[in-house]
């Protein structure tokens, strides 16, 4: 489910990403479907709302709630047997790092599609990547130092990509 969360979240947010064309709103991913009005859109929207509530928001909230409610006994055999795979490779105090990663990926792949201006989109992504670098260095979640440095480099390279995007888009104007 952790692997499927990001692509499903992106598809859910793309369903609601509509663009105004001559006073009507159409899905950006399929301009043959009119948002909020088309029979196809209205017929499929309950499924998308259900997936959004239960999986996109509910799944990370459930993990966070479970980890938080069992925070004092996370390292007991009973809890480790159930959900230990989620936090075994992380340091104490950073057991919910997977939820952090889900939120970061959701923000980068799903939420910024609603921002119409490319410069603002890339700038928002820069802020998200900067915050991710800060939280990575603050919490130092990985027990393995090599994984920490790989994560640090990947977060920083992602930040550089969005900075270059802002520069390139800004130089065209």
């Amino acid at each position: 489910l952790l692997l499927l969360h990001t692509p499903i979240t992106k598809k859910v947010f793309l369903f609601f990403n509509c663009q105004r064309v001559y006073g009507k709103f159409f899905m950006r991913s399929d301009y043959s479907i009119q948002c909020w009005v088309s029979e196809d859109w209205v017929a499929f929207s309950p499924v998308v709302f259900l997936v959004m509530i239960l999986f996109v928001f509910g799944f990370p909230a459930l993990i966070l709630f479970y980890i938080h409610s069992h925070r004092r006994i996370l390292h007991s055999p009973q809890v480790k047997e159930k959900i230990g795979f989620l936090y075994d490779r992380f340091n104490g105090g950073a057991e919910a790092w997977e939820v952090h990663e889900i939120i970061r990926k959701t923000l980068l792949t799903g939420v910024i599609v609603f921002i119409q201006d490319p410069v603002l989109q890339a700038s928002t992504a820069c802020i998200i990547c900067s915050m991710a670098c800060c939280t990575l260095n603050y919490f130092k979640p990985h027990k393995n130092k090599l994984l920490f440095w790989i994560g640090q480099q990947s977060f920083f390279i992602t930040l550089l990509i969005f900075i270059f995007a802002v520069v390139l888009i800004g130089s065209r104007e």
Side-chain angles (χ1 to χ4, degrees), residues 9 27 31 73 96-97 102 109 111 123 126 143 146-148 165-166:
T9 298
M27 285 181 64
Y31 281 102
I73 57 168
W97 189 255
I102 287 174
T109 61
V111 174
S123 301
C126 285
K143 288 181 180 177
L146 179 62
L147 286 178
F148 169 79
V166 170

Side-chain angles (χ1 to χ4, degrees), residues 49-170:
F49 276 114
L50 187 67
V51 169
M52 182 173 60
I53 291 167
L54 293 179
F55 189 66
V56 172
F57 298 122
F59 179 62
L62 180 68
I63 293 173
L64 195 59
F65 174 76
Y66 194 87
I67 288 175
H68 180 72
S69 63
H70 292 84
R71 68 186 176 278
R72 301 196 196 297
I73 57 168
L74 277 178
H75 299 286
S76 69
Q78 297 87 358
V79 176
K80 266 198 168 182
E81 185 179 320
K82 288 181 185 175
I83 63 163
F85 68 94
L86 286 174
Y87 58 86
D88 268 348
R89 60 189 184 277
F90 301 122
N91 289 322
E95 288 89 354
W97 189 255
E98 284 294 343
V99 176
H100 173 278
E101 286 300 292
I102 287 174
I103 292 169
R104 181 184 66 85
K105 291 174 190 176
T106 298
L107 291 172
L108 285 176
T109 61
V111 174
I112 64 171
V113 299
F114 292 107
I115 301 172
Q116 303 300 321
D117 182 31
V119 175
L120 193 56
Q121 233 179 11
S123 301
T124 303
C126 285
I127 293 169
I128 293 166
C129 291
S130 298
M131 293 301 296
C133 284
C134 291
T135 55
L136 179 70
N137 283 294
Y138 180 76
F139 289 108
K140 296 191 187 318
H142 299 286
K143 288 181 180 177
N144 187 334
K145 293 293 179 190
L146 179 62
L147 286 178
F148 169 79
W149 285 107
I150 290 171
Q152 179 71 29
Q153 288 176 344
S154 69
F155 285 13
F156 186 70
I157 289 170
T158 307
L159 173 62
L160 284 178
I161 288 169
F162 286 115
I163 289 172
F164 291 147
V166 170
V167 170
L168 288 174
I169 293 169

